[in-house]
Amino acid sequence: MPERRSNEARSTMTRQDGASLRFVEVKPDRDKIHLVLDGEWTIENAAAIERDIDEAMRRINGHPFDVVGDGIDKLDTSGAFLLKKLAKGDTQTHLAEKQRTVLEFLPDYSEYTPPKQEKQPVAVSVLSGVGERTYVGLDFLWEIFEFIGRIALCFFSNLAHPSRFRLPSIVRHIQETGINALPIIGLLAVLITMVITYQGAMQLRMFGADVFTIDLTVISLLRELGVLVTAIMVAGRSGSAFAAEIGVMQLREEVSALRTIGLSPIEVLVLPRVIALVIVLPLLAFLADLIGLAGGGLMSLSLLDISFTQYLSRVEDVATPTMFFVGMIKAPVFAFAIAVIGCYQGMKVSGSAESVGRRTTLAVVQGIFVVIMVDGIFSIVFQKAEI
Amino acid sequence: MKKLIEVKGVTVGFGSQIVADQINLVLYENEALALVGGSGSGKSTLLRTMLGLVSPKSGEILIEGHNLFALPHEERVNLQKKWGVSFQNGGLFSGLTVLDNVAFPMREHTNLAPRTIDTLASLKLRMVGLDEQAANKFPSALSGGMATRAAVARAMALDPEMLFLDEPTSGLDPVSAGSIDELMRSLRRSLRLSILIITHDPNTIASVCDRIAMIVDKKVETGTLDEMLNSTNPKVREFFDNVRVQAALCERG
């Protein structure tokens, strides 16, 4: 805004000259000082006016003064506020009628005092912070198990009335979390196996054992990576979507509306999502396995000069049903964890748009964390069971 | 009188559906214009078009003679600083307290001292009848009526020359609605603002507005309250007969 800038520039200039200020002119008289006001007292000039007032006050240095304000061209509420601040108490003011109406329109001037916040000593606030976080963490554990319990209750009571499972909703979520995710998960599976095959081939070549690259690829893909990569992708894609969808519904009071209609949000919103994801994630993981194997074949062809038929027969030798099922059995567990955490965080949204963002982030972070943690637990169990 | 906003042959709608067809409307300087019409008649969409948030299907919006949609970005922002808008659902920023909501435009567009801005913001809140206790709440903790008032306060943050208010008194009790009406009247009297109000409130129509524009059957009809009462269009007459009766009732009560 060029106009405002020039006004300010001018007021700075005149102040440096020590001569008259642009908005407030100090005119000493015999017994009293007159402050003659000038210019447009609007919000655009408010910062300059405020500086001029401070400067004028400094020059007056506590002497009694009166305010001559009928030279003001234009007065808005911000200008009127500054005028009131200048002429507080029983200072005499000379104003024209139109300025007086603006001034009278404004509520009485009083400084805004920010609400007092009780300050605690650092030691206390650190300790209480630790305690608070511990309680929040314990609450979270308690609440998430309660949430799982309610989902289970709803699931088992629905078994008696299968029509309450809301097939259309489940199908929609299968479409959104499964079918729409196919391209990205396929691409990711190919890329991951390519990287493993390449790295494996480079290292194993040093021992002349590059044929075992295929073993490495197949075992790591089927046992771990296929399902893990899929689960992480789904946690990022769908866990966040669940949290955001339910969160915004929570903000717009759609969830409360559901309750008042006599429906349980668990049944209508949470259960279809959980069921859909539990169905979809094993399928996606299976597909990631297949596409990953294809990617491995491609890399073997170009890096190891192994033909596709040779590659397939090697895969047949290495892969066992146990290996495949060890991977696949994790998929529904991961799916359950991701869906429950996503929906839980969505239900916990309250108040502001910021809360949607925070809860969505939590849904993804906790989802991926739990997936990796559960994967570790599975590894230990399988190792003890010698599978 | 100076024309502040001129709507020329504007058609608005969604997809193939047209809600208002070939609208002509003028907002003059220092007048209060009520925009009325049944639910879903396109009042809010027309307002959003005038604000430049939605492009019209055809026609143009002239702001002080310039076509709004042809203006360069910077000039448009300068024009927008002279406008204050309050939306139907408040449109308050949910991550900021009420006071910060009002202070936000001032922080962005002026270089006043932070303390002055806070004081000015609390002053504006008091003008719409909110106390300091409400000032420190987040929008989610406000009642509907308080949110409306906070939105009006934010609309006035930059001392606009033009106010656009979308149903500023809906959801308010009669006393608060009356104080908002009084506020609008005094804003016009003392600050010489121009106000465009979308409203259903008979009191606001009767006591604040000089002219009324009503959207009926996708067309707009304008006039003073008396002219609307004697309109040739039976739908307009019916609407304003109701307005007159209700306003009279409120007056007596």
Side-chain angles (χ1 to χ4, degrees):
Chain A
M1 194 184 282
E3 193 192 347
R4 192 175 82 195
R5 220 169 287 141
S6 67
N7 277 344
E8 278 173 21
R10 228 171 305 159
S11 75
T12 331
M13 234 159 50
T14 49
R15 193 163 45 241
Q16 278 163 355
D17 296 346
S20 68
L21 301 166
R22 186 174 146 65
F23 296 100
V24 186
E25 206 176 337
V26 184
K27 279 192 178 162
D29 209 352
R30 260 170 302 171
D31 51 343
K32 220 174 193 182
I33 295 171
H34 301 299
L35 288 185
V36 182
L37 310 183
D38 194 16
E40 291 190 352
W41 280 51
T42 58
I43 190 157
E44 286 174 9
N45 302 326
I49 295 172
E50 206 181 19
R51 278 198 299 270
D52 281 5
I53 289 176
D54 288 345
E55 174 64 19
M57 283 303 165
R58 198 185 57 77
R59 287 194 200 169
I60 289 172
N61 200 13
H63 286 290
F65 64 93
D66 63 3
V67 176
V68 183
D70 48 7
I72 295 174
D73 295 332
K74 203 172 158 192
L75 190 65
D76 66 8
T77 55
S78 307
F81 158 72
L82 292 171
L83 183 56
K84 256 192 184 170
K85 195 174 160 188
L86 176 67
K88 58 187 157 202
D90 48 3
T91 313
Q92 272 192 322
T93 48
H94 307 282
L95 294 171
E97 181 58 31
K98 61 174 182 179
Q99 293 145 4
R100 204 174 293 279
T101 51
V102 181
L103 212 60
E104 277 162 9
F105 167 68
L106 211 67
D108 278 335
Y109 164 78
S110 66
E111 192 86 19
Y112 171 74
T113 43
K116 273 183 200 139
Q117 278 168 343
E118 282 181 26
K119 275 207 169 170
Q120 290 172 321
V122 179
V124 175
S125 69
V126 165
L127 284 178
S128 69
V130 170
E132 211 177 298
R133 271 151 205 269
T134 313
Y135 268 101
V136 168
L138 289 176
D139 273 354
F140 168 71
L141 270 184
W142 173 256
E143 279 179 16
I144 198 98
F145 281 116
E146 191 197 338
F147 194 64
I148 292 172
R150 280 202 273 156
I151 294 171
L153 260 180
C154 182
F155 179 79
F156 287 117
S157 71
N158 277 7
L159 280 181
H161 316 269
S163 64
R164 284 207 280 183
F165 273 118
R166 291 168 206 281
L167 196 64
S169 178
I170 295 177
V171 170
R172 179 179 84 94
H173 288 296
I174 287 180
Q175 159 88 32
E176 264 169 28
T177 59
I179 296 169
N180 296 350
L182 282 179
I184 185 68
I185 283 174
L187 182 66
L188 214 61
V190 170
L191 291 178
I192 278 284
T193 39
M194 280 182 161
V195 171
I196 295 169
T197 312
Y198 178 75
Q199 290 296 340
M202 290 298 123
Q203 300 301 318
L204 292 173
R205 185 169 287 168
M206 292 194 267
F207 307 99
D210 42 0
V211 200
F212 289 105
T213 309
I214 299 172
D215 298 45
L216 174 74
T217 310
V218 170
I219 295 173
S220 57
L221 183 71
L222 291 189
R223 277 194 83 115
E224 292 288 343
L225 284 175
V227 61
L228 200 61
V229 164
T230 312
I232 289 174
M233 196 65 207
V234 166
R237 251 187 119 256
S238 306
S240 58
F242 290 175
E245 281 168 9
I246 298 180
V248 172
M249 289 182 81
Q250 186 78 265
L251 277 191
R252 298 173 55 121
E253 299 190 65
E254 292 174 49
V255 176
S256 313
L258 269 180
R259 285 209 178 92
T260 56
I261 296 171
L263 294 169
S264 137
I266 301 271
E267 184 189 308
V268 180
L269 300 177
V270 179
L271 202 53
R273 285 176 167 83
V274 175
I275 292 174
L277 210 58
V278 170
I279 294 173
V280 147
L281 192 58
L283 297 178
L284 284 177
F286 178 61
L287 211 94
D289 284 355
L290 286 189
I291 298 178
L293 285 180
L298 221 64
M299 273 319 257
S300 314
L301 191 68
S302 59
L303 278 181
L304 309 169
D305 283 330
I306 297 173
S307 77
F308 234 74
T309 36
Q310 273 177 302
Y311 174 74
L312 276 185
S313 69
R314 184 73 196 154
V315 169
E316 265 180 283
D317 290 344
V318 177
T320 60
T322 333
M323 194 182 291
F324 171 71
F325 284 114
V326 158
M328 289 310 277
I329 193 115
K330 300 177 205 166
V333 181
F334 290 170
F336 185 74
I338 293 166
V340 165
I341 290 172
C343 294
Y344 168 80
Q345 294 296 357
M347 298 290 281
K348 291 292 280 184
V349 165
S350 66
S352 61
E354 206 184 328
S355 153
V356 179
R358 198 172 52 239
R359 291 292 173 179
T360 309
T361 311
L362 273 178
V364 176
V365 172
Q366 290 178 344
I368 293 176
F369 173 75
V370 168
V371 162
I372 291 173
M373 194 180 75
V374 171
D375 192 49
I377 296 174
F378 267 116
S379 301
I380 297 169
V381 171
F382 289 145
Q383 195 220 343
K384 295 280 179 205
E386 290 173 8
I387 297 172
Chain B
M1 266 194 293
K2 197 173 144 198
K3 289 175 181 174
L4 283 183
I5 299 186
E6 191 173 1
V7 177
K8 258 187 170 171
V10 163
T11 303
V12 290
F14 311 96
S16 60
Q17 187 201 356
I18 285 172
V19 289
D21 194 18
Q22 297 283 325
I23 298 282
N24 290 307
L25 190 66
V26 180
L27 178 69
Y28 294 101
E29 198 171 27
N30 192 29
E31 82 164 344
L33 178 69
L35 187 57
V36 300
S39 301
S41 61
K43 304 179 299 277
S44 293
T45 316
L46 184 59
L47 176 72
R48 292 172 72 83
T49 313
M50 289 167 83
L51 294 172
L53 297 172
V54 189
S55 319
K57 284 180 175 295
S58 67
E60 52 186 16
I61 309 275
L62 300 179
I63 311 287
E64 294 171 17
H66 309 285
N67 186 348
L68 177 65
F69 291 95
L71 277 180
H73 176 74
E74 207 166 311
E75 283 181 41
R76 205 159 136 173
V77 171
N78 280 342
L79 274 181
Q80 278 165 347
K81 274 190 229 167
K82 296 194 213 162
W83 299 349
V85 186
S86 91
F87 288 100
Q88 199 167 357
N89 297 321
L92 295 170
F93 304 122
S94 55
L96 301 177
T97 63
V98 170
L99 186 91
D100 286 335
N101 259 287
V102 181
F104 181 73
M106 293 190 254
R107 288 198 188 122
E108 290 298 313
H109 289 308
T110 70
N111 32 20
L112 285 164
R115 201 179 170 79
T116 312
I117 288 181
D118 282 351
T119 309
L120 259 175
S122 79
L123 212 63
K124 306 244 144 131
L125 283 172
R126 241 178 302 152
M127 285 189 334
V128 296
L130 291 174
D131 55 16
E132 297 214 338
Q133 212 179 355
N136 296 312
K137 282 184 179 162
F138 282 93
S140 55
L142 295 182
S143 70
M146 284 160 99
T148 315
R149 281 189 269 177
V152 173
R154 191 180 66 183
M156 296 192 309
L158 287 179
D159 276 309
E161 294 169 11
M162 252 181 275
L163 266 185
F164 299 87
L165 307 173
D166 195 347
E167 306 209 4
T169 55
S170 70
L172 265 64
D173 63 278
V175 178
S176 314
S179 69
I180 291 282
D181 286 348
E182 175 57 38
L183 175 74
M184 287 191 277
R185 276 197 297 273
S186 33
L187 279 174
R188 274 192 58 211
R189 201 177 46 232
S190 44
L191 298 174
R192 304 190 60 75
L193 287 186
S194 319
I195 313 179
L196 182 94
I197 314 160
I198 294 183
T199 185
H200 295 295
D201 189 331
N203 272 320
T204 312
I205 296 175
S207 70
V208 180
C209 304
D210 330 86
R211 280 196 318 138
I212 299 156
M214 181 176 182
I215 303 181
V216 216
D217 300 329
K218 299 179 184 177
K219 292 286 175 192
V220 75
E221 198 150 324
T222 47
T224 62
L225 185 55
D226 284 334
E227 282 165 6
M228 295 308 250
L229 283 165
N230 298 315
S231 165
T232 50
N233 189 331
K235 283 187 186 172
V236 176
R237 272 207 311 275
E238 189 192 2
F239 185 94
F240 285 97
D241 274 336
N242 279 326
V243 166
R244 184 178 54 179
V245 170
Q246 286 181 36
L249 275 178
C250 289
E251 201 97 325
R252 204 181 309 156

